[in-house]
Amino acid sequence: MEDVAGLAGVSAMTVSRVLNAPEKVRPETRARVLAAVQELGYRPNFAARSLVTGRSGVLGVVSFDTTLYGPASTLYGIERAARQHDYLVSIASLEALTRRSIAEGVERLRSQSVDGVIIIAPHESASEGLRHLPKDLPVVDVGGGEGVPVPVAAVDQHSGGARATRHLLSLGHRTVWHLSGPPNWIDASGRLQGWRSVLEAEGREVPEPLAGDWSAQSGYEHGRRLARDPEVTAVFVANDPMALGLLRALREAGKRVPEDVSIVGFDDVPEAAYFWPPLTTVRQNFGEVGGQALQLLLDRIAGVEGDVRRMVEPELVVRESTAQLR
């Protein structure tokens, strides 16, 4: 740091301010210091910093099934938000979300002296594990349901399901069928409840939902059944990969989308705009969820009490897989 200060013509204290609170330093001074940092290849010593501040500068994330778009995108959103606050992220990836596995994942991260932990826990089975965490460790949950004993940041899944269903009803469909996610997933339950609440409020028939497993294969298999029912004109699918499988099943059965059947997915995966037809879907702002989760955690680390549940509204993205019923 002294070498950087000498090259930039400032004090070591000014270098520290530029690295830790850049908004408090004049732009021209900040530019000189950052140029010196780059020229000298300077990197802060996190071990030394932790001795001074009493904090490691590392946050832990307990995650599950990052092969799925939602958990993987949530993890990326948290990492990006952490970088913006000069935190490193250490990840404990779990094969299952049980009380024991969550406790083991948290202890693994505590052994690395993390300042706090974010748990991506979209399973109902995780609730019990969240009730037995160390009391002295700041913890935030992402995607948790009602009654979780720690602060939560999540997309409003109920609202997303309701938006998708209202859109299909507004196009003149008598009712809307639903291909749901696995019943033990909180996201799936929220989307299903949003779908059901709109149909009941409108006095429409509520068809029996079909439970998939998030995969395109399950969407295809249930789609073959839906394609045989002439009453099916609109389907809300709980994620985009299952919607892709449904599209194929309908095409093989000679059903046209959206002329015969309108479809709405959920997530807005990058490929959704390139399905045929381009998929109407509900977009989740995972970057915003990551930012909200991180802010909740930083507040707890600083001893600030406040919101215990921050919900992020999803957005309906209308493309070409939905149309007015003829």
mmCIF file of all heavy atoms in Angstrom, residues 219-238:
data_model
loop_
_atom_site.group_PDB
_atom_site.id
_atom_site.type_symbol
_atom_site.label_atom_id
_atom_site.label_comp_id
_atom_site.label_asym_id
_atom_site.label_seq_id
_atom_site.Cartn_x
_atom_site.Cartn_y
_atom_site.Cartn_z
ATOM 1 N N GLY A 219 -42.402 -32.368 -19.257
ATOM 2 C CA GLY A 219 -43.324 -31.525 -19.999
ATOM 3 C C GLY A 219 -43.860 -32.239 -21.232
ATOM 4 O O GLY A 219 -45.050 -32.131 -21.576
ATOM 5 N N TYR A 220 -42.990 -32.978 -21.886
ATOM 6 C CA TYR A 220 -43.392 -33.732 -23.074
ATOM 7 C C TYR A 220 -44.377 -34.843 -22.717
ATOM 8 O O TYR A 220 -45.410 -35.019 -23.382
ATOM 9 C CB TYR A 220 -42.140 -34.328 -23.727
ATOM 10 C CG TYR A 220 -42.427 -35.244 -24.893
ATOM 11 C CD1 TYR A 220 -42.808 -34.731 -26.132
ATOM 12 C CD2 TYR A 220 -42.311 -36.622 -24.742
ATOM 13 C CE1 TYR A 220 -43.077 -35.585 -27.201
ATOM 14 C CE2 TYR A 220 -42.567 -37.483 -25.799
ATOM 15 C CZ TYR A 220 -42.947 -36.962 -27.028
ATOM 16 O OH TYR A 220 -43.213 -37.799 -28.082
ATOM 17 N N GLU A 221 -44.075 -35.578 -21.655
ATOM 18 C CA GLU A 221 -44.944 -36.697 -21.272
ATOM 19 C C GLU A 221 -46.329 -36.214 -20.859
ATOM 20 O O GLU A 221 -47.348 -36.790 -21.268
ATOM 21 C CB GLU A 221 -44.284 -37.497 -20.149
ATOM 22 C CG GLU A 221 -43.038 -38.249 -20.616
ATOM 23 C CD GLU A 221 -42.242 -38.846 -19.478
ATOM 24 O OE1 GLU A 221 -42.558 -38.535 -18.304
ATOM 25 O OE2 GLU A 221 -41.298 -39.622 -19.748
ATOM 26 N N HIS A 222 -46.402 -35.160 -20.051
ATOM 27 C CA HIS A 222 -47.708 -34.612 -19.685
ATOM 28 C C HIS A 222 -48.369 -33.951 -20.889
ATOM 29 O O HIS A 222 -49.600 -33.943 -21.007
ATOM 30 C CB HIS A 222 -47.554 -33.609 -18.549
ATOM 31 C CG HIS A 222 -47.316 -34.246 -17.209
ATOM 32 N ND1 HIS A 222 -48.173 -35.164 -16.651
ATOM 33 C CD2 HIS A 222 -46.307 -34.080 -16.309
ATOM 34 C CE1 HIS A 222 -47.718 -35.534 -15.476
ATOM 35 N NE2 HIS A 222 -46.587 -34.892 -15.243
ATOM 36 N N GLY A 223 -47.544 -33.388 -21.777
ATOM 37 C CA GLY A 223 -48.093 -32.744 -22.972
ATOM 38 C C GLY A 223 -48.830 -33.712 -23.871
ATOM 39 O O GLY A 223 -49.843 -33.356 -24.490
ATOM 40 N N ARG A 224 -48.357 -34.939 -23.961
ATOM 41 C CA ARG A 224 -49.037 -35.953 -24.782
ATOM 42 C C ARG A 224 -50.445 -36.212 -24.238
ATOM 43 O O ARG A 224 -51.399 -36.399 -25.013
ATOM 44 C CB ARG A 224 -48.222 -37.234 -24.811
ATOM 45 C CG ARG A 224 -46.876 -37.087 -25.513
ATOM 46 C CD ARG A 224 -46.067 -38.357 -25.456
ATOM 47 N NE ARG A 224 -46.694 -39.429 -26.241
ATOM 48 C CZ ARG A 224 -46.218 -40.672 -26.291
ATOM 49 N NH1 ARG A 224 -45.132 -40.993 -25.601
ATOM 50 N NH2 ARG A 224 -46.825 -41.582 -27.016
ATOM 51 N N ARG A 225 -50.571 -36.185 -22.918
ATOM 52 C CA ARG A 225 -51.891 -36.374 -22.310
ATOM 53 C C ARG A 225 -52.778 -35.160 -22.575
ATOM 54 O O ARG A 225 -53.952 -35.309 -22.954
ATOM 55 C CB ARG A 225 -51.722 -36.610 -20.810
ATOM 56 C CG ARG A 225 -53.034 -36.620 -20.032
ATOM 57 C CD ARG A 225 -52.785 -36.808 -18.540
ATOM 58 N NE ARG A 225 -54.000 -36.574 -17.775
ATOM 59 C CZ ARG A 225 -54.051 -36.592 -16.438
ATOM 60 N NH1 ARG A 225 -52.951 -36.848 -15.742
ATOM 61 N NH2 ARG A 225 -55.188 -36.362 -15.817
ATOM 62 N N LEU A 226 -52.233 -33.961 -22.394
ATOM 63 C CA LEU A 226 -53.015 -32.747 -22.626
ATOM 64 C C LEU A 226 -53.450 -32.630 -24.085
ATOM 65 O O LEU A 226 -54.537 -32.123 -24.381
ATOM 66 C CB LEU A 226 -52.207 -31.521 -22.209
ATOM 67 C CG LEU A 226 -51.943 -31.357 -20.711
ATOM 68 C CD1 LEU A 226 -50.935 -30.238 -20.455
ATOM 69 C CD2 LEU A 226 -53.249 -31.048 -19.971
ATOM 70 N N ALA A 227 -52.595 -33.080 -24.994
ATOM 71 C CA ALA A 227 -52.901 -32.964 -26.424
ATOM 72 C C ALA A 227 -54.117 -33.806 -26.816
ATOM 73 O O ALA A 227 -54.783 -33.506 -27.818
ATOM 74 C CB ALA A 227 -51.687 -33.384 -27.246
ATOM 75 N N ARG A 228 -54.440 -34.836 -26.042
ATOM 76 C CA ARG A 228 -55.586 -35.697 -26.350
ATOM 77 C C ARG A 228 -56.911 -35.110 -25.873
ATOM 78 O O ARG A 228 -57.978 -35.628 -26.219
ATOM 79 C CB ARG A 228 -55.379 -37.083 -25.726
ATOM 80 C CG ARG A 228 -54.242 -37.886 -26.345
ATOM 81 C CD ARG A 228 -54.310 -39.348 -25.918
ATOM 82 N NE ARG A 228 -54.090 -39.519 -24.487
ATOM 83 C CZ ARG A 228 -52.901 -39.756 -23.935
ATOM 84 N NH1 ARG A 228 -51.813 -39.816 -24.704
ATOM 85 N NH2 ARG A 228 -52.778 -39.911 -22.637
ATOM 86 N N ASP A 229 -56.826 -34.054 -25.069
ATOM 87 C CA ASP A 229 -58.047 -33.462 -24.503
ATOM 88 C C ASP A 229 -58.450 -32.241 -25.326
ATOM 89 O O ASP A 229 -57.771 -31.222 -25.302
ATOM 90 C CB ASP A 229 -57.795 -33.053 -23.051
ATOM 91 C CG ASP A 229 -59.064 -32.596 -22.342
ATOM 92 O OD1 ASP A 229 -60.057 -32.294 -23.030
ATOM 93 O OD2 ASP A 229 -59.045 -32.528 -21.104
ATOM 94 N N PRO A 230 -59.576 -32.306 -26.054
ATOM 95 C CA PRO A 230 -59.983 -31.180 -26.898
ATOM 96 C C PRO A 230 -60.391 -29.938 -26.107
ATOM 97 O O PRO A 230 -60.503 -28.843 -26.680
ATOM 98 C CB PRO A 230 -61.169 -31.744 -27.694
ATOM 99 C CG PRO A 230 -61.697 -32.851 -26.833
ATOM 100 C CD PRO A 230 -60.508 -33.438 -26.152
ATOM 101 N N GLU A 231 -60.628 -30.102 -24.802
ATOM 102 C CA GLU A 231 -61.020 -28.960 -23.976
ATOM 103 C C GLU A 231 -59.828 -28.062 -23.626
ATOM 104 O O GLU A 231 -60.004 -26.921 -23.199
ATOM 105 C CB GLU A 231 -61.669 -29.450 -22.677
ATOM 106 C CG GLU A 231 -62.962 -30.218 -22.881
ATOM 107 C CD GLU A 231 -64.052 -29.329 -23.466
ATOM 108 O OE1 GLU A 231 -64.205 -28.190 -22.978
ATOM 109 O OE2 GLU A 231 -64.742 -29.762 -24.404
ATOM 110 N N VAL A 232 -58.610 -28.577 -23.784
ATOM 111 C CA VAL A 232 -57.414 -27.821 -23.397
ATOM 112 C C VAL A 232 -57.101 -26.782 -24.465
ATOM 113 O O VAL A 232 -56.749 -27.119 -25.596
ATOM 114 C CB VAL A 232 -56.210 -28.756 -23.192
ATOM 115 C CG1 VAL A 232 -54.948 -27.927 -22.903
ATOM 116 C CG2 VAL A 232 -56.472 -29.729 -22.058
ATOM 117 N N THR A 233 -57.214 -25.495 -24.091
ATOM 118 C CA THR A 233 -56.869 -24.401 -25.014
ATOM 119 C C THR A 233 -55.809 -23.469 -24.441
ATOM 120 O O THR A 233 -55.277 -22.628 -25.168
ATOM 121 C CB THR A 233 -58.105 -23.554 -25.361
ATOM 122 O OG1 THR A 233 -58.592 -22.909 -24.171
ATOM 123 C CG2 THR A 233 -59.203 -24.421 -25.968
ATOM 124 N N ALA A 234 -55.494 -23.596 -23.143
ATOM 125 C CA ALA A 234 -54.509 -22.713 -22.510
ATOM 126 C C ALA A 234 -53.812 -23.459 -21.385
ATOM 127 O O ALA A 234 -54.481 -24.110 -20.566
ATOM 128 C CB ALA A 234 -55.166 -21.451 -21.963
ATOM 129 N N VAL A 235 -52.474 -23.372 -21.345
ATOM 130 C CA VAL A 235 -51.695 -24.071 -20.317
ATOM 131 C C VAL A 235 -50.666 -23.112 -19.730
ATOM 132 O O VAL A 235 -49.904 -22.476 -20.472
ATOM 133 C CB VAL A 235 -50.965 -25.306 -20.883
ATOM 134 C CG1 VAL A 235 -50.267 -26.066 -19.755
ATOM 135 C CG2 VAL A 235 -51.925 -26.222 -21.627
ATOM 136 N N PHE A 236 -50.656 -23.023 -18.411
ATOM 137 C CA PHE A 236 -49.598 -22.319 -17.691
ATOM 138 C C PHE A 236 -48.618 -23.367 -17.192
ATOM 139 O O PHE A 236 -49.001 -24.269 -16.443
ATOM 140 C CB PHE A 236 -50.176 -21.506 -16.531
ATOM 141 C CG PHE A 236 -49.169 -21.058 -15.515
ATOM 142 C CD1 PHE A 236 -47.945 -20.495 -15.908
ATOM 143 C CD2 PHE A 236 -49.419 -21.178 -14.150
ATOM 144 C CE1 PHE A 236 -47.008 -20.098 -14.970
ATOM 145 C CE2 PHE A 236 -48.493 -20.766 -13.207
ATOM 146 C CZ PHE A 236 -47.281 -20.229 -13.626
ATOM 147 N N VAL A 237 -47.359 -23.260 -17.613
ATOM 148 C CA VAL A 237 -46.329 -24.245 -17.281
ATOM 149 C C VAL A 237 -45.362 -23.616 -16.276
ATOM 150 O O VAL A 237 -44.929 -22.470 -16.451
ATOM 151 C CB VAL A 237 -45.569 -24.695 -18.542
ATOM 152 C CG1 VAL A 237 -44.649 -25.861 -18.215
ATOM 153 C CG2 VAL A 237 -46.545 -25.094 -19.644
ATOM 154 N N ALA A 238 -44.984 -24.364 -15.238
ATOM 155 C CA ALA A 238 -44.238 -23.797 -14.110
ATOM 156 C C ALA A 238 -42.782 -23.488 -14.411
ATOM 157 O O ALA A 238 -42.125 -22.847 -13.588
ATOM 158 C CB ALA A 238 -44.330 -24.716 -12.900
#
